[in-house]
Amino acid sequence: MARLKLRDRFFTPPVARAMTSPAGILLAGAGVAAGILVGLPAAGAAALGAAAWAARVAAAVPRNPRPERIDPFTLQDPWRQFVREALQSRNQFAQAVRQARGGPLRDRLAEIGERLGTGVEESWRIARAGQALTDARRSIDVAQAGAQLVELHDTRNRSRQADRTLDETIQALEAQIDTARRMDEVIEQTRARLRLLDARLDEAVTRAIELSARAERVDELGGLGQDVDSLVNELEALRLGLAETDEAGGGQGLAAPGSA
């Protein structure tokens, strides 16, 4: 998650409520009274009251969340490799920022780097979801279900009487196999999409390295910022699509991304 600047965290409802809350006003009054009691002049007592009120407001400013720890070694390939490549891209971008000419150019690159960091976090979340889906898929033994299905179909063909239990068992096995096939489709689509987006992430870093070495003005960065924004938006969309797929399938990811 990208870190918010102090200005963005200050202009929030919790801070506004703290500025006008009765508790804040009483605290300011208590500060003034305490200043008078210890013999401070009126201006000093007022300053003490203002400081007490400011401390109350400062305590209401939302804190930036701690960065999520990204550990690719908790995953298996190919998900692990995707995350490692994304982390490598982030580190290379950070190095390009450090090597850029100081001033507005470096500041703009640093802003783009923060956004790129959000994309790396999204890649990590997608990879974790992909790993969970892969693990769930491995729990479905399609070969065994298929063998049972062949046997049950043969039994039903030889039977001269309707058997509701047999029919329901066949339907359950067929649903299990269909679920596994849909999960395979989701996993493959997610792998391909994440591989492409990671490649585009690496491409953006390569451009940043080139620009940091030769650019002298912010406008020479061209559309790098817009491209990174677009890339991060696609990563976010992929993650949200996986989450919706998982919810639709009862936590199993039973529908392909983008399917109805």
Side-chain angles (χ1 to χ4, degrees), residues 68-208:
E68 185 175 4
R69 182 173 181 269
I70 299 177
D71 185 2
F73 293 99
T74 60
L75 307 175
Q76 299 175 353
D77 285 330
W79 311 110
R80 175 190 298 176
Q81 186 62 29
F82 292 150
V83 176
R84 292 181 64 182
E85 290 174 356
L87 287 172
Q88 183 178 6
S89 295
R90 185 184 67 180
N91 294 338
Q92 290 177 338
F93 196 100
Q95 183 177 1
V97 172
R98 289 192 296 268
Q99 294 175 346
R101 187 183 301 272
L105 177 66
R106 180 184 293 174
D107 293 342
R108 177 55 182 151
L109 279 172
E111 291 177 358
I112 297 173
E114 291 182 1
R115 184 63 171 153
L116 185 140
T118 299
V120 173
E121 293 173 0
E122 292 292 347
S123 180
W124 160 243
R125 297 187 184 104
I126 293 167
R128 282 195 306 174
Q131 182 67 68
L133 191 60
T134 301
D135 292 341
R137 169 61 183 86
R138 286 173 180 160
S139 68
I140 303 176
D141 191 339
V142 174
Q144 182 180 9
Q148 293 178 1
L149 198 56
V150 170
E151 181 180 348
L152 292 176
H153 274 300
D154 183 61
T155 300
R156 186 174 63 178
N157 291 336
R158 288 187 283 104
S159 176
R160 296 182 179 180
Q161 298 179 357
D163 189 331
R164 181 178 178 182
T165 301
L166 181 63
D167 291 340
E168 290 178 351
T169 303
I170 290 174
Q171 291 174 6
L173 288 170
E174 289 175 340
Q176 186 177 359
I177 294 173
D178 288 342
T179 295
R181 289 172 178 167
R182 287 195 296 270
M183 292 174 74
D184 286 338
E185 182 180 354
V186 173
I187 291 169
E188 184 54 37
Q189 288 182 0
T190 303
R191 284 176 179 170
R193 192 63 183 162
L194 189 54
R195 184 182 297 111
L196 171 61
L197 294 174
D198 271 1
R200 288 178 54 193
L201 190 69
D202 192 50
E203 178 189 4
V205 171
T206 301
R207 288 174 56 197

